[in-house]
C-alpha cells in the first residue's frame, strides 16, 4: 500500500475499546460517557480487518485504546493475530497499555509472541499518580511492570510532560528507566477531545523538557529512526534511549507510515486531521470483503501530506473533537 505522496503504509494502530479503568485528566473527562458496546467492532471483526490489512502489506500492528487490556476477548484477538507473525507476514504485534492489568496478562502476552510493549506512566509519586489518573494505583502498575520484566517483555515508558505536575520529576524518571532497562518517550499534550477543562494550562513544550534533561544527562542523537514521530537520544550514563514526540511540529509527516483504526471502525489516515473512511459499514455490507478493500483504497487517497495542530494559550477548545481513547494513542 502506498499513499498519493508515495509513502509506503505499513503500520496500523488499532483502538480496541474507548473504555478505560483510569481517567487521566488530559485524556478524558471525569464523567466520560463511553460508546454503546454494539458500536464497537467485535473481536471477530477486528481480526478480519487487521488480517485484511496484513494481506495488503501492513507489517506492524499496535493495539491500543482506551485501555486495550480491559477489552473483553483481547487475549483471544491477540492469539488470532499471532498467526500472521508465525507465517512471517507480520513483523510485530505490540500494545500500548496503562499497565493496570499487566500483572495478570504479561506472561500470556509473551507466550503469544508479543515482544515489546509501551506502558504509560507520567509520575512515580503515588499521590500525583492518583491525581493525574483520577483513580489509578501506581503500585498496581509497578507490579505489572515487574511481571512484564519477568516474562521477558521489552518495555518502553510513555510519559506525558505536564506543567507543574511532573516537570520537576522527569530527570529522576530518566534515571529510574535507566536502572530498569526501559526506554522512555516523552509526549506533549495534544488538543484531542473535550476533557472538561482548559488544557493549555497543562501544556509543557518538550523543547523545555529536553533542554532540562540535556543539562542533567549526557544525551547524543540516536541513529534509531522508527518512521514515527519520535526523535530519539541515547543517554550515555544509562545506555537507554529517550524519545521526544512533538506532534505540534510537522517534522515527522514526511516519512509517516501509519494509519489509525478507531474502536468503531473508522479509519483515520492522520491523527491530526478529520478525513476518514467508514470501515465498519464496508465490512458489514459485503461478506466477500470487496467493499472493505474499496474502502481501504479510498483511504489511501486521503492521507494528507501533513497535519495542522495548533495549541495556543487561551485556546481552550480541542482542535479535534475525537478523544485519543477513541482514535488510539
Ligand atoms: N490506555 C493506554 C495508555 O494509557 O497507555 C493506551 C491508550 S492512551 C490514549 C495512549 C497514550 O496516549 C498514553 O501514553 C497517553 O498518556 C497518551 N495521551 C492520551 N491523551 C493524550 C493527549 N491529549 N495528549 C497527548 N497524549 C495523550
Ligand atoms: Fe486511560 Fe490511557 Fe486515557 Fe489514561 S491515557 S485515561 S490510561 S486511555
Amino acid at each position: 500500500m502506498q499513499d498519493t505522496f508515495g509513502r509506503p503504509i505499513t503500520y496500523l494502530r488499532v483502538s480496541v475499546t474507548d473504555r478505560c479503568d483510569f481517567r487521566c485528566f488530559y485524556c478524558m473527562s471525569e464523567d466520560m460517557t463511553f460508546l454503546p458496546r454494539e458500536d464497537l467492532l467485535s473481536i471477530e471483526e477486528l481480526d478480519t480487518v487487521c488480517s485484511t490489512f496484513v494481506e495488503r502489506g501492513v507489517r506492524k500492528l499496535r493495539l491500543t485504546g482506551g485501555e486495550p487490556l480491559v477489552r473483553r476477548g483481547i487475549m483471544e484477538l491477540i492469539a488470532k493475530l499471532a498467526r500472521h507473525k508465525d507465517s512471517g507476514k507480520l513483523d510485530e504485534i505490540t500494545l500500548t497499555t496503562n499497565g493496570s492489568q499487566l500483572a495478570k496478562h504479561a506472561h500470556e502476552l509473551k507466550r503469544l509472541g508479543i515482544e515489546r510493549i509501551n506502558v504509560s506512566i507520567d509520575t512515580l509519586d503515588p499521590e500525583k499518580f492518583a491525581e493525574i489518573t483520577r483513580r489509578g494505583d501506581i503500585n498496581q502498575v509497578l507490579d505489572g511492570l515487574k511481571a512484564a520484566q519477568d516474562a521477558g517483555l521489552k518495555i518502553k515508558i510513555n510519559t506525558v510532560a505536564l506543567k507543574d505536575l511532573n516537570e520537576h520529576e522527569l530527570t529522576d524518571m530518566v534515571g529510574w528507566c535507566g536502572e530498569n532497562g526501559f526506554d522512555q518517550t516523552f509526549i506533549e499534550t495534544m488538543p484531542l477531545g473535550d476533557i472538561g477543562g482548559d488544557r493549555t494550562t497543562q501544556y509543557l513544550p518538550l523543547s523545555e523538557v529536553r533542554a532540562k534533561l540535556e543539562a542533567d544527562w549526557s544525551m547524543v542523537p540516536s541513529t534509531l529512526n522508527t518512521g514515527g514521530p519520535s526523535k530519539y537520544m541515547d543517554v550515555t550514563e544509562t545506555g537507554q534511549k529517550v524519545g521526544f514526540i512533538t506532534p505540534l511540529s510537522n517534522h515527522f509527516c514526511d516519512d509517516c507510515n501509519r494509519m489509525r483504526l478507531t474502536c468503531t471502525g473508522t479509519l483515520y489516515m492522520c491523527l491530526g486531521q478529520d478525513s476518514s473512511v467508514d470501515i465498519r459499514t464496508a465490512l458489514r455490507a459485503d461478506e466477500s470483503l470487496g467493499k472493505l478493500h474499496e474502502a481501504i483504497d479510498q483511504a489511501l487517497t486521503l492521507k494528507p501530506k501533513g497535519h495542522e495542530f495548533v495549541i495556543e494559550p487561551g485556546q481552550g477548545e480541542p482542535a479535534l473533537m475525537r478523544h485519543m481513547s477513541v482514535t488510539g494513542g
Side-chain angles (χ1 to χ4, degrees):
M1 285 185 292
Q2 268 199 358
D3 71 2
T4 48
F5 301 98
R7 290 171 295 196
I9 307 300
T10 54
Y11 180 12
L12 179 66
R13 299 167 73 102
V14 184
S15 173
V16 296
T17 177
D18 63 326
R19 285 164 201 260
C20 187
D21 50 347
F22 292 177
R23 296 287 184 281
C24 302
F25 74 89
Y26 50 76
C27 178
M28 296 183 181
S29 64
E30 173 105 62
D31 55 348
M32 191 72 183
T33 310
F34 293 110
L35 296 163
R37 280 183 208 278
E38 59 273 19
D39 285 2
L40 302 191
L41 293 182
S42 69
I43 293 295
E44 290 68 28
E45 287 175 326
L46 282 166
D47 178 38
T48 303
V49 173
C50 290
S51 299
T52 304
F53 275 109
V54 171
E55 293 299 331
R56 297 205 44 174
V58 159
R59 302 287 316 176
K60 176 171 170 179
L61 287 174
R62 176 176 297 278
L63 307 180
T64 174
E67 175 46 41
L69 294 179
V70 303
R71 171 73 202 256
R72 196 170 300 152
I74 184 67
M75 300 307 280
E76 191 192 318
L77 174 65
I78 295 171
K80 283 174 192 276
L81 294 173
R83 70 187 183 281
H84 301 304
K85 210 173 158 246
D86 296 342
S87 75
K89 286 186 184 154
L90 196 58
D91 296 328
E92 186 171 33
I93 306 171
T94 182
L95 74 167
T96 301
T97 171
N98 66 22
S100 69
Q101 310 300 312
L102 258 185
K104 218 182 321 174
H105 295 303
H107 282 84
E108 182 64 1
L109 287 171
K110 176 69 181 170
R111 197 187 66 75
L112 292 174
I114 305 265
E115 278 149 33
R116 304 188 299 157
I117 55 172
N118 288 2
V119 182
S120 303
I121 302 181
D122 301 330
T123 175
L124 293 169
D125 177 308
E127 278 173 30
K128 277 193 189 156
F129 189 85
E131 184 186 343
I132 291 172
T133 61
R134 295 202 187 100
R135 57 191 64 187
D137 174 0
I138 185 70
N139 289 315
Q140 196 180 336
V141 176
L142 294 178
D143 288 348
L145 281 180
K146 176 87 181 44
Q149 276 178 313
D150 289 348
L153 291 168
K154 191 148 175 29
I155 296 162
K156 191 172 80 180
I157 302 294
N158 279 353
T159 303
V160 177
L162 298 164
K163 200 165 178 53
D164 299 329
L165 267 164
N166 65 3
E167 63 176 305
H168 303 297
E169 202 194 328
L170 301 179
T171 285
D172 288 348
M173 280 188 85
V174 170
W176 173 78
C177 284
E179 283 160 25
N180 285 284
F182 306 148
D183 288 333
Q184 185 174 25
T185 301
F186 291 103
I187 308 171
E188 271 172 354
T189 48
M190 290 179 245
L192 298 176
D194 184 8
I195 53 166
D198 181 359
R199 65 187 353 123
T200 55
T201 54
Q202 75 217 31
Y203 177 63
L204 176 62
L206 285 191
S207 51
E208 278 180 33
V209 172
R210 186 167 162 159
K212 169 88 173 72
L213 293 180
E214 277 179 322
D216 295 335
W217 297 97
S218 320
M219 303 209 296
V220 287
S222 168
T223 48
L224 182 74
N225 179 4
T226 59
S230 226
K231 291 278 177 243
Y232 285 94
M233 309 284 281
D234 290 315
V235 183
T236 311
E237 292 88 340
T238 68
Q240 295 304 130
K241 292 192 191 334
V242 169
F244 298 90
I245 299 189
T246 50
L248 308 183
S249 61
N250 286 46
H251 68 196
F252 59 82
C253 297
D254 284 350
D255 44 28
C256 179
N257 60 357
R258 57 189 63 193
M259 306 164 283
R260 296 165 191 270
L261 185 68
T262 72
C263 51
T264 56
T266 303
L267 185 68
Y268 287 99
M269 302 306 280
C270 172
L271 181 61
Q273 293 218 341
D274 263 333
S275 51
S276 63
V277 299
D278 179 356
I279 291 287
R280 186 182 62 187
T281 301
L283 175 70
R284 292 180 182 171
D286 170 12
E287 261 179 41
S288 70
L289 304 184
K291 292 260 183 277
L292 175 59
H293 282 284
E294 278 173 28
I296 295 172
D297 290 337
Q298 192 204 345
L300 290 170
T301 69
L302 292 179
K303 192 164 170 70
K305 199 159 190 293
H307 67 66
E308 289 150 5
F309 277 138
V310 190
I311 188 167
E312 282 170 356
Q315 180 217 335
E317 294 289 304
L320 295 172
M321 288 313 289
R322 61 183 193 268
H323 285 94
M324 186 76 123
S325 48
V326 172
T327 319

